[in-house]
Amino acid sequence: MNRSRSQVHDSSSIHEIDVAPHKPIPRRLYQVWKGNNKFGCGGRLVLGPDAGSLCLTSFLIGCPALTFCIRMLVIFKDEDPHFGYPVLSVGLFLTLLDFIFLFMTSAGDPGILPRNSHPVELDEGLSSTPSMDWANNRTYLKIPRMKDVIVNGHTVKVKFCETCLLYRLPRASHCSICNNCVQKFDHHCPWVGQCIGLRNYASFIGFISTSSSLCLYVFVCSWLNLIRPPGSLWRAMAHDLLSVILILYCFIAIWFVGGLTVFHMYLIWTNQTTYESFRYRYDKKDNPYNKGVFRNFKDIFLSRVPPSLVKFRAWTSEYDDQSVVSSYRDYTGGSSLKEKFDIEMGSKHDKDGLGVPRILQNLDYSDLDDSVKISGNGEVAFDPQYAQGCSTAGGNPIEDKRTQ
């Protein structure tokens, strides 16, 4: 490994700084993604941080559904095959379809917006104010938190996301659980472990609709199991406790998943998201996104899924912090530094305290030699007496040098 060596000589000390060159390391974007997502199959599957809840959801769906199918197979295999096999086939089909919609909803990109490494450029009429955090060597721009955009003749305010460093698209919002901005953000569903947004809303509707249909189907068929045998209903219930348990389970589940399905049908009817429905209250003002009932349903069920804006499998490069190695050797302890240190070294990869803020880089420091000292623990500090002298003179040495 080639290293650049800078030696600083003094009458009482010798300092050596070994710096290894920066080496970009190619990686897939999903490997360095700053969101809280989990990825599978080399970035082809995009999961939420609570993807483990899929196991619970799969159990709550699969266990009663498979139990029902096995029960139908046992009961109607010998008694009434012409009735039993169709019931079994429909039950298996609804169960399989439900799991397909569940997988499509939870394992795909819901509409994540790509992040920016730097703040977006401001439009005309908007201004930003720079500020500096000297302790952490970070520069902040006080960008306006809101700006107005026109949607279907209506003025809509969009927010600036300080995490993703972008102005969100209309109807987009930042999910605090996934730590991503999502297009047409509806809500974060813990049952599927994923955000519900523009790209997976239709599959989510398919999931909850199929779940409601499956619950209703098992509920009705379980009742048929009880009333088909001749005799008293109570006697049939005593001999077929499994059907009774399925009836109670589906009765409770249908209120939750069925009610959720009805609510989302209302949202599609009025072209709202869950987030907008609870926050903006379009019943009190015009909804700029409402296109009419037919077009609202057409946009959800008869439109193609838009392509993902983030290519998680794309190659990217980042600087490995381990590739920048700095070593500071002080043979005699702290003393004055009579020559300039390498001002081009940023504090991002500097682990020995020799880095300076970027705003101070590329400046002429020839007159500051006597003011810079290195203490015994290897830290760079300015001479207090020198700083006090500049203060009393009413000047700023750094600003004066920049002015010259």
Side-chain angles (χ1 to χ4, degrees):
M1 182 181 298
N2 297 326
R3 295 178 180 269
S4 60
R5 175 171 297 180
S6 175
Q7 292 189 354
V8 181
H9 300 276
D10 193 359
S11 58
S12 57
S13 65
I14 298 177
H15 307 280
E16 291 184 359
I17 301 176
D18 295 338
V19 181
H22 294 187
K23 289 184 177 181
I25 298 179
R27 294 187 180 183
R28 300 282 188 181
L29 179 59
Y30 76 91
Q31 294 176 321
V32 296
W33 186 251
K34 295 183 180 180
N36 297 332
N37 301 88
K38 298 178 180 179
F39 299 91
C41 297
R44 294 178 178 85
L45 303 182
V46 184
L47 304 171
D50 49 351
S53 59
L54 286 175
C55 298
L56 176 60
T57 304
S58 300
F59 175 80
L60 294 177
I61 296 174
C63 184
L66 293 179
T67 302
F68 167 77
C69 292
I70 295 175
R71 183 62 176 169
M72 294 297 102
L73 181 63
V74 172
I75 291 179
F76 298 111
K77 183 177 180 180
D78 300 325
E79 298 179 4
D80 192 354
H82 299 287
F83 178 76
Y85 287 128
V87 171
L88 176 62
S89 300
V90 174
L92 288 176
F93 173 76
L94 290 177
T95 303
L96 179 62
L97 190 63
D98 201 13
F99 276 105
I100 291 176
F101 281 125
L102 174 61
F103 178 79
M104 292 174 59
T105 304
S106 60
D109 178 10
I112 300 174
L113 294 176
R115 295 169 177 260
N116 288 327
S117 57
H118 303 285
V120 295
E121 295 183 1
L122 299 177
D123 298 333
E124 295 182 1
L126 297 177
S127 60
S128 61
T129 304
S131 62
M132 176 67 75
D133 182 358
W134 294 94
N136 298 321
N137 186 22
R138 295 179 179 175
T139 303
Y140 299 97
L141 293 177
K142 296 180 179 179
I143 297 177
R145 295 179 57 87
M146 297 275 192
K147 75 173 183 179
D148 297 333
V149 296
I150 304 299
V151 177
N152 298 328
H154 296 77
T155 300
V156 177
K157 293 184 179 295
V158 294
K159 292 183 178 181
F160 179 79
C161 179
E162 297 179 355
T163 302
C164 301
L165 297 179
L166 52 81
Y167 278 103
R168 301 169 187 161
L169 297 176
R171 313 191 83 177
S173 184
H174 190 89
C175 176
S176 59
I177 299 176
C178 293
N179 195 25
N180 295 314
C181 281
V182 180
Q183 292 176 281
K184 197 180 178 182
F185 177 78
D186 190 89
H187 69 288
H188 182 92
C189 181
W191 298 105
V192 301
Q194 180 65 282
C195 287
I196 307 302
L198 177 65
R199 299 190 71 251
N200 65 349
Y201 186 74
S203 59
F204 174 75
I205 296 298
F207 167 65
I208 59 177
S209 300
T210 308
S211 299
S212 301
S213 301
L214 182 60
C215 285
L216 184 60
Y217 182 78
V218 173
F219 180 82
V220 173
C221 291
S222 296
W223 268 112
L224 292 177
N225 291 339
L226 297 179
I227 63 177
R228 279 177 59 86
S232 173
L233 177 62
W234 295 105
R235 181 179 300 176
M237 294 175 62
H239 287 82
D240 194 357
L241 292 178
L242 186 59
S243 295
V244 175
I245 295 175
L246 289 174
I247 290 174
L248 295 176
Y249 181 86
C250 292
F251 178 78
I252 296 174
I254 196 66
W255 284 101
F256 291 96
V257 67
L260 185 63
T261 303
V262 173
F263 173 69
H264 276 277
M265 290 300 170
Y266 160 75
L267 294 180
I268 297 175
W269 184 286
T270 57
N271 203 334
Q272 299 183 66
T273 64
T274 302
Y275 182 81
E276 293 170 347
S277 177
F278 284 97
R279 182 164 184 176
Y280 296 115
R281 300 288 183 177
Y282 285 134
D283 55 344
K284 299 181 180 179
K285 58 182 180 180
D286 293 335
N287 182 0
Y289 309 106
N290 194 350
K291 304 176 183 178
V293 177
F294 177 76
R295 292 190 61 185
N296 292 341
F297 277 89
K298 179 182 178 181
D299 289 343
I300 298 299
F301 299 108
L302 300 179
S303 298
R304 292 184 178 180
V305 178
S308 176
L309 298 180
V310 183
K311 306 299 181 183
F312 288 104
R313 286 184 49 79
W315 288 99
T316 183
S317 61
E318 65 171 356
Y319 288 105
D320 187 4
D321 292 338
Q322 300 297 328
S323 65
V324 182
V325 181
S326 299
S327 62
Y328 173 76
R329 303 174 183 175
D330 189 356
Y331 296 99
T332 60
S335 60
S336 298
L337 182 63
K338 293 301 182 180
E339 295 185 18
K340 292 190 299 181
F341 53 89
D342 188 3
I343 200 66
E344 297 297 332
M345 291 177 55
S347 61
K348 179 179 179 180
H349 300 290
D350 177 30
K351 299 181 180 180
D352 296 308
L354 292 178
V356 295
R358 293 182 178 179
I359 196 173
L360 301 181
Q361 297 180 7
N362 300 321
L363 302 180
D364 187 4
Y365 285 82
S366 58
D367 296 341
L368 298 180
D369 293 344
D370 294 335
S371 64
V372 181
K373 294 181 179 295
I374 298 182
S375 61
N377 56 3
E379 297 181 352
V380 177
F382 288 95
D383 191 346
Q385 295 182 357
Y386 178 82
Q388 182 179 3
C390 295
S391 176
T392 55
N396 190 322
I398 297 177
E399 294 181 355
D400 292 342
K401 294 300 297 181
R402 296 181 66 180
T403 303
Q404 294 175 5

